[in-house]
């Protein structure tokens, strides 16, 4: 007679359990941060701010290097701020941004320890 | 004769120069990697593979933990492979994926040194 061996399952060595890997909530949180830096302009803006005087930059000084309007740069900066990667400080007319180093470090650690 | 004073540059305090920050090509390359991990399912797939036996996983074992069809998982895996974050090896019927640790480390270093 035939034995209907479930070879597919039994031969499979060690499929990841449903609860293996990162929890869904943590994956969501990390993906949000990575998505924020998943755009060339935002990578460049972050690097401009990080290398700026005192680790900060006025939005008025960011438009020219990236060749975009202030409205577009503001939009990108809002995405970075919402992801917790930059902090915004209003000084008179202008918004100044600084990089949140701890958030970048945390994202970096997550990549290394995936 | 005349000294063409570049007042715009000399009077301005310290706006980032147009060539400050990361070069555009490097920003593009990094953004592509971050965009690939800028999705919760792909973060979870990466972590499942990384924590799998021998640091690899068969696509047949990835569908259940993320609750998606094999076609959808394959689509996500292609994006991760195109970004250089995973390597694919065909073994008979199934594709096996392993994490490219050096690519993750490089992306992590880029975040830290922005």
């Amino acid at each position: 007679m035939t034995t209907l061996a479930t070879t597919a399952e039994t031969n499979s060595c060690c499929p990841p359990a449903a609860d293996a890997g990162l929890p869904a909530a943590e994956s969501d949180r990390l993906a949000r941060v990575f998505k924020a830096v998943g755009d060339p302009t935002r990578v460049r803006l972050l690097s401009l701010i990080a290398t700026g005087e005192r680790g900060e930059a006025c939005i008025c000084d960011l438009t020219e290097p990236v060749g975009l309007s202030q409205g577009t740069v503001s939009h990108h900066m809002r995405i970075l701020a919402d992801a917790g990667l930059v902090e915004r400080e209003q000084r008179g007319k202008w918004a100044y941004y600084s990089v949140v180093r701890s958030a970048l470090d945390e994202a970096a650690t997550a990549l290394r320890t995936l």
Side-chain angles (χ1 to χ4, degrees), chain A residues 41-53:
Chain A
T41 299
R42 292 197 288 274
V43 170
R44 192 141 157 66
L45 287 169
L46 271 179
S47 76
L48 285 166
I49 297 165
T51 58
E53 189 82 358

Side-chain angles (χ1 to χ4, degrees), chain A residues 88-111:
Chain A
R88 182 185 188 280
E89 191 188 327
Q90 191 74 28
R91 293 186 205 154
K93 182 182 170 189
W94 299 110
Y96 283 73
Y97 291 93
S98 55
V99 164
V100 179
R101 189 54 68 184
S102 59
L104 287 172
D105 285 350
E106 195 193 342
T109 299
L111 281 179

Side-chain angles (χ1 to χ4, degrees), chain A residues 5-111:
Chain A
T6 55
T7 48
E9 278 90 358
T10 51
N11 284 350
S12 172
C13 158
C14 6
D19 61 351
L22 284 177
E26 179 65 3
S27 301
D28 288 355
R29 202 183 62 81
L30 281 173
R32 190 155 160 264
V33 172
F34 294 135
K35 192 173 181 179
V37 281
D39 175 279
T41 299
R42 292 197 288 274
V43 170
R44 192 141 157 66
L45 287 169
L46 271 179
S47 76
L48 285 166
I49 297 165
T51 58
E53 189 82 358
R54 294 181 298 273
E56 65 173 24
C58 172
I59 192 155
C60 58
D61 290 328
L62 291 171
T63 52
E64 194 186 317
V66 295
L68 295 169
S69 72
Q70 199 176 304
T72 304
V73 172
S74 289
H75 165 75
H76 284 300
M77 292 312 301
R78 198 154 39 237
I79 292 171
L80 290 172
D82 286 348
L85 293 171
V86 295
E87 273 174 357
R88 182 185 188 280
E89 191 188 327
Q90 191 74 28
R91 293 186 205 154
K93 182 182 170 189
W94 299 110
Y96 283 73
Y97 291 93
S98 55
V99 164
V100 179
R101 189 54 68 184
S102 59
L104 287 172
D105 285 350
E106 195 193 342
T109 299
L111 281 179

